[in-house]
Amino acid sequence: MENYYDKNSEAYIENTFYCDMDELYKPFLKYLDKGDSILDAGCGSARDSLNFIKRGYCVSAFDNSQKMVDFANLHTNINVEKKSFLDLDYKEEFDGIWACASLLHVDRYNLPLAFTNLHEALKSDGILYCSFKCRAYDFSTEDRTFTCFTKSSFKTFMDELSLFNILEIFISHDSRENRDNELWLNAILKKTSGF
């Protein structure tokens, strides 16, 4: 997946960097306190990292595209790392994890491992935000694969995984220009104590 974003980094940054994400930040941040640690997982241009830093949170970030990591490092004062969801090695480091439109590029077969790694990265009772395209079927386009969920299928996936409790689940419209018809599934999850 990093190849697509390396090749198309400028266009992707231009299309996403200035999107107003405030309506998605609110349901996530209400579970956190100022100064809490947030991992921006699959941070892209670091748009969200910058917003969280401005709001007084302690932010770490990673992305699997070297071009995105380079751009993010130029625009933040944090050390953005090149990593994938499958090779995370954090252990109970974060109060919250923000995975906005990033986990959807993990293929369905590897998604349980990705969520397991995120579970391990969170402190006890930590909060995870994630989003997926709200569709019944996975699809591929322009050298990218998309793992998709409906509300029902995501709830089933979470039940089978038994790593998180669902605090909130809601549908939103794409915030990019001329993409209003694209629906997103958003979930706020809380790490379960037992594993």
Side-chain angles (χ1 to χ4, degrees):
M1 206 56 56
E2 67 270 19
N3 288 340
Y4 173 88
Y5 289 102
D6 284 339
K7 292 175 186 173
N8 299 277
S9 59
E10 288 185 16
Y12 180 81
I13 291 165
E14 184 178 331
N15 288 333
T16 61
F17 191 76
Y18 295 103
C19 290
D20 182 357
M21 303 295 288
D22 200 53
E23 289 306 307
L24 296 181
Y25 296 150
K26 287 176 184 176
F28 171 64
L29 295 178
K30 74 181 181 183
Y31 295 100
L32 301 175
D33 296 319
K34 288 285 176 66
D36 276 355
S37 56
I38 294 175
L39 175 64
D40 190 355
C43 67
S45 64
R47 169 198 65 205
D48 302 326
S49 292
L50 287 167
N51 272 279
F52 296 144
I53 291 166
K54 288 175 186 174
R55 293 166 191 247
Y57 297 93
C58 180
V59 179
S60 300
F62 74 85
D63 199 273
N64 200 28
S65 160
Q66 189 60 57
K67 288 281 183 72
M68 291 297 178
V69 169
D70 292 344
F71 182 89
N73 274 318
L74 276 175
H75 292 83
T76 65
N77 288 320
I78 61 175
N79 178 32
V80 179
E81 298 182 279
K82 185 182 185 302
K83 290 187 177 188
S84 81
F85 284 100
L86 303 183
D87 58 26
L88 299 185
D89 54 2
Y90 305 110
K91 301 295 178 189
E92 298 185 358
E93 291 186 38
F94 304 102
D95 299 294
I97 296 177
W98 175 263
C100 182
S102 52
L103 277 165
L104 81 171
H105 291 313
V106 177
D107 65 73
R108 191 168 293 275
Y109 175 80
N110 285 314
L111 208 54
L113 174 58
F115 272 93
T116 298
N117 289 344
L118 294 171
H119 181 275
E120 292 183 1
L122 282 168
K123 296 177 183 177
S124 178
D125 296 326
I127 301 298
L128 168 64
Y129 164 84
C130 58
S131 59
F132 296 86
K133 287 184 182 290
C134 188
R135 298 189 185 189
Y137 301 102
D138 302 343
F139 68 99
S140 298
T141 181
E142 296 180 336
D143 298 324
R144 290 181 295 173
T145 59
F146 293 84
T147 299
C148 303
F149 286 101
T150 62
K151 276 188 179 181
S152 175
S153 65
F154 187 76
K155 287 176 181 176
T156 299
F157 175 69
M158 283 291 109
D159 286 344
E160 292 172 351
L161 205 57
S162 299
L163 296 175
F164 296 92
N165 292 321
I166 298 176
L167 298 178
E168 299 181 35
I169 187 166
F170 58 97
I171 305 299
S172 65
H173 290 272
D174 200 304
S175 58
R176 291 171 292 180
E177 207 170 302
N178 301 318
R179 299 289 286 271
D180 284 352
N181 60 333
E182 186 74 65
L183 296 179
W184 289 84
L185 174 84
N186 305 269
I188 310 290
L189 312 174
K190 184 175 183 179
K191 177 178 177 173
T192 57
S193 53
F195 181 49

